[in-house]
Structures are given as C-alpha cells and as structure tokens.
Amino acid sequence: MSVHTAAAAPSVHAPLPVLGRDVTVPLVTGGEVTYAALDYAASAPALQRVWDDVAAYAPYYGSVHRGAGYLSQLSTDLFENARATVAAFLGCREDDEVVFTRSTTDSLNLLARALPAGCEVFVFETEHHAALLPWRDARVTCLDAPRTPRQAVETLERALAGRDAGAPALVCVTGASNVTGELWPVRELATAAHAHGARIVLDAAQLAPHHPVSVAELDVDWVALSGHKLYAPFGAGVLAGRADWLTGAEPYLAGGGASRSVSRRQDGGVDVEWHAGAARHEAGSPNVVGAYALASACRALTEAGFDTLVARERHLISRVRTGLAEVPEVRVLSLFGDEAPRVGVLSFVVEGWNSSHFAAALSAEYGIGVRDGLFCAHPLVRTLLGSAPRAQGECGAPEAAPGEKSLNAIRVSFGAGTPDEHVDRFVDAVRELVRDGAKWRYRTENGRCVPAV
Ligand code: PLP
C-alpha cells in the first residue's frame, strides 16, 4: 500500500503550492485582501503536498513500536522510513543517528544534556536563543559578532587555540541567521573546530528550508532543525549526527520506548537497561504524524530541486532588496554586508518609525504578515541596531526620534511557497507607509501594537 500522494511537477518559476494561499483577511480600512504570509522564518505554511500525504495516511494511523496489528506495523514502518528519508535529505553518514524531537530548541537541549563531563561550549553572540541558551550546565564562551565570514572563522580559531585538544568541546553555529538571513561559513568553521579537537553542531532551522544541507559534506557532527519551518507544521523536529555522545548520555526523557528492560530489585528499587541509538532519547509514544510530515517535506523539496528553489528565492530576495533600497528611510540590517549570500530573511528598521507600529500597519492596512521585535536573538539585534535595552515607547509615537537608535526591527521572510505578488505588495506597502504614514490609529495592548478600534 502506498500512502504518498503523487508529486505534481513544479514549474521552474512557480512557487510550490502551500496551504493558505487563497486565504483572505479583513483590512481595518475596509474590504479584504489575500493574506501575504511573509513570516516564513517563524513558521512556514504547510506544503500542500505535505498536507495531502498526511491526509492520505490519517486513516491508517496506528500506534508505533508497540502494536501487533496491521496499522501499528504500517505506522511503525512509516515512522522508521521517515527517519531514513530525513537521513538521506540531510546527507547523513552511515552510522549517524536521526532522533525525532519536537523542534530545533528541543534538539539542541537534548544535545546539551548529552555533553560529556567537562565539555566546553563555544557559541557566537549572534545565535538564536535556542542555540545560545541550552548549554547552561557547561562552561560557555560567547564569541563576539564577526563582521565577515572570514572573521567568524578567525574568531573561533583564536578562541579554540591553546585549549586542551583532548578535552571535550562543542561549537554551536547557525547555518543561516534568522535575523539577517546571511549564510555562515559552516564548512570552514567545522574544519577549525575539528582542527582543535572540538565537535560542531549546525543549527539548520533557517538553512534547511532554503538550501541543501549535507552533514557529511559540511563535516558537522550534528544538525538540528524544525519541521514547522520546513513546511511540515506537525510538531516534529530532528537532531541528527554522531551516535557516541547520545549513547553515552542518560536518556533525555525516562520512560517507555527508551528502556529495553526494566525489573524490580529485591531491595525495592528499579533496574533499567536503556536502549542505545535514537530510541534512547525518544521515550513515550512518538509523533508519527509529525515525523511522516517532515519526511514528506524532505521528499517534496528534493523533488522540486534545490537548484530551482534557490534560484527562485534569489529572484525574490533581489526584488525585495531593490525595492527597499529605493526607500532611503529603510535600513536593512546586515553583519556581512549587502553582497553577502543569504536566504529569504531580511530585517530592517524605518527611520522615525516604531517597528511594532510599522508591522501592525502592514498587517491591518495591507494584509501582510511580517514580524517585529528582537526575533529571539537579542544580543545580535542589539548589536546590529547599536541600541541598549530600554523601555518600549507607546505605539503610534515614533520609538526612535531622529538620530536615536531603534529598539526593535521588522523582519520579512519568505520561501518556496511565496509568489512574486506577495513581495511586490510588501515593497509597495513599505513605500506607501513611509510616504503617507499610517491611515489608522494604533495603541499598545499587552505590549503589542494594535489598531485603536
Ligand atoms: N534556530 C534558529 C536559527 C531559529 O530561527 C529558530 C526559530 O526561529 C530556532 C533555532 C528555534 O526553532 P524552534 O522554535 O522551532 O525550536
């Protein structure tokens, strides 16, 4: 029996079909427009293909790893096949483990719990909090934001130089920034890490939806990603990579599925023999639908072809950049400079505007969904803005007086499902808002900027 739906051949220039592409939303100024979802970096819409695959599987849903029935066996096969599909998608080595988790945050916390004793962790201040914060039980060295990819490698080399190469160390680095979209020199950082006896984990939350990722070619030890950013919003994530630290660690969660054998001791205690491999860290009933959806997304992106997807995204990035460059009040945030290769994620500030106000107006008056704030990367955004933490101003009043640093930024992000029309509408809306101002009044409610009525 096959539960996969047939792949419709995608046109080179067409976006991949996603759910919600025809959803209309009301405008405060009256009428409705098709929603332009430009917050892919937070959560991307589900690919239609993923949805169809999940719907085709749904009647066959059954318990995983435990049941003797036909549907249990089918679900178990699909779950384990999903693991193999994800391993192939990520270019894993033969003996790598693929552990299903809930998300990138969960994956990195799992790895943090598997660090060997005395492990030192090196991380740039530019990381998303999911990559910056899980290492709280280790000695953490937080590195300055580099201003070029070369400087990133040099900074890491300097930090690692002189350490005892026999002692365990881990470098955690993003593949593509969730703030600037810029690509990081992962292969070079991996070489530097390994030269100094350290291991490296790649946070591919923003990279994998936009670019091919090969664990083997990048020579990283682990990779973490989230299904909901990879067009598969069904609650699954992945940590894939070397087995040894994972097998050497206590199970992430203790419970059924992680235990091979459990017995009661004479003295009343409980003895347990844990599984090795992925099962060790997947206690409890696994999220088979999430894993299946994630594998479906991997298949869909592979079949669409990353050459095509990357070319299309470059075209969208160029449209946005060209459009924003024509608005002198807009400053696009960047670590590595305008020409640095990036994915479809751009953050910017608008002179004289409160970013929250601007994003609220894009939503309420134009039906365009972007994000505002510090994007769970507070140190990076503050470095890019050159601002120190301070109280948020009232919405509607410019947060940054002329010459004053902005507190927050606006982020626009897009991907495989984004039509040209959405980015064009966005650029036109930015131009119009800057020129004419907001048409509506806004107020602050629970820290968010919302239309006054
Ligand atoms: N890493 C990066 C670069 C991200 O952009 C995000 C989420 O925005 C995460 C990690 C955390 O992902 P999740 O919230 O799915 O755990």
Side-chain angles (χ1 to χ4, degrees):
M1 191 219 87
S2 166
V3 293
H4 305 323
T5 52
S11 137
V12 174
H13 300 294
L16 299 186
V18 289
L19 259 57
R21 57 192 182 276
D22 299 323
V23 165
T24 57
V25 291
L27 302 179
V28 276
T29 44
E32 294 209 336
V33 287
T34 311
Y35 185 62
L38 294 177
D39 194 13
Y40 273 48
S43 285
L47 281 175
Q48 183 70 51
R49 167 83 184 283
V50 169
W51 186 258
D52 291 346
D53 275 349
V54 167
Y57 162 57
Y60 302 95
Y61 174 77
S63 62
V64 171
H65 289 154
R66 290 166 176 61
Y70 188 89
L71 296 195
S72 292
Q73 290 174 26
L74 175 74
S75 291
T76 303
D77 279 354
L78 291 182
F79 186 65
E80 292 306 327
N81 286 344
R83 213 188 284 287
T85 302
V86 170
F89 179 76
L90 292 175
C92 287
R93 296 157 293 240
E94 185 90 341
D95 46 1
D96 282 338
E97 293 290 354
V98 173
V99 185
F100 282 114
T101 63
R102 291 179 300 169
S103 61
T104 306
T105 303
D106 201 28
S107 298
L108 294 174
N109 275 273
L110 159 56
L111 187 61
R113 297 269 287 274
L115 298 180
C119 187
E120 200 177 344
V121 176
F122 296 84
V123 61
F124 287 91
E125 65 160 323
T126 48
E127 293 295 333
H128 187 279
H129 296 170
L132 199 55
L133 301 180
W135 325 106
R136 300 176 78 76
D137 293 337
R139 188 147 55 89
V140 178
T141 303
C142 187
L143 307 171
D144 289 345
R147 284 304 178 158
T148 63
R150 180 73 230 143
Q151 214 179 69
V153 180
E154 287 165 1
T155 302
L156 180 65
E157 274 171 343
R158 252 195 322 277
L160 292 173
R163 64 173 290 279
D164 170 7
L170 178 73
V171 176
C172 178
V173 70
T174 187
S177 165
N178 71 308
V179 176
T180 65
E182 290 163 326
L183 299 178
W184 277 64
V186 177
R187 182 72 182 79
E188 292 79 357
L189 291 166
T191 303
H194 292 152
H196 292 89
R199 296 217 175 163
I200 183 164
V201 56
L202 169 63
D203 172 355
Q206 299 296 345
L207 184 65
H210 304 272
H211 260 260
V213 171
S214 168
V215 169
E217 277 171 29
L218 291 170
D219 195 21
V220 292
D221 297 283
W222 294 276
V223 61
L225 58 79
S226 301
H228 71 103
K229 295 185 197 290
L230 197 82
Y231 312 104
F234 289 86
V238 162
L239 177 70
R242 307 258 180 225
D244 53 355
W245 285 11
L246 299 178
T247 295
E250 285 292 303
Y252 187 40
L253 293 174
S259 48
R260 190 194 305 277
S261 164
V262 178
S263 46
R264 179 137 192 261
R265 284 196 310 260
Q266 292 283 340
D267 66 5
V270 176
D271 278 333
V272 55
E273 191 191 327
W274 300 110
H275 279 298
R280 186 179 189 85
H281 298 293
E282 288 179 351
S285 299
N287 175 5
V288 57
V289 175
Y292 184 63
L294 190 42
S296 165
C298 293
R299 277 194 302 274
L301 294 177
T302 305
E303 284 163 19
F306 270 106
D307 286 351
T308 307
L309 296 173
V310 169
R312 215 191 111 63
E313 194 167 304
R314 283 213 185 109
H315 155 81
L316 294 176
I317 293 168
S318 147
R319 273 175 115 88
V320 172
R321 288 191 64 85
T322 308
L324 292 182
E326 287 165 5
V327 187
E329 290 83 354
V330 168
R331 177 164 75 91
V332 175
L333 305 182
S334 164
L335 264 184
F336 299 157
D338 285 351
E339 301 312 316
R342 62 171 78 224
V343 299
V345 178
L346 284 101
S347 297
F348 61 98
V349 287
V350 185
E351 197 183 308
W353 277 81
N354 171 322
S355 293
S356 170
H357 184 193
F358 201 87
L362 281 174
S363 169
E365 300 178 28
Y366 298 90
I368 296 172
V370 297
R371 197 175 188 86
D372 61 278
L374 298 170
F375 319 124
C376 293
H378 294 185
L380 170 59
V381 180
R382 289 199 179 116
T383 294
L384 292 169
L385 296 176
S387 59
R390 69 171 195 272
Q392 174 83 36
E394 254 322 272
C395 177
E399 123 193 329
E404 199 178 10
K405 307 275 191 235
S406 295
L407 261 186
N408 290 323
I410 305 149
R411 181 178 74 187
V412 58
S413 56
F414 40 88
T418 308
D420 288 16
E421 187 254 329
H422 284 188
V423 300
D424 292 349
R425 245 172 76 195
F426 162 75
V427 169
D428 288 347
V430 169
R431 203 178 286 129
E432 194 173 289
L433 269 178
V434 170
R435 191 188 60 219
D436 302 341
K439 298 185 198 72
W440 207 254
R441 282 192 313 107
Y442 294 81
R443 65 187 167 81
T444 305
E445 190 178 286
N446 298 327
R448 300 270 332 141
C449 194
V450 293
V453 176

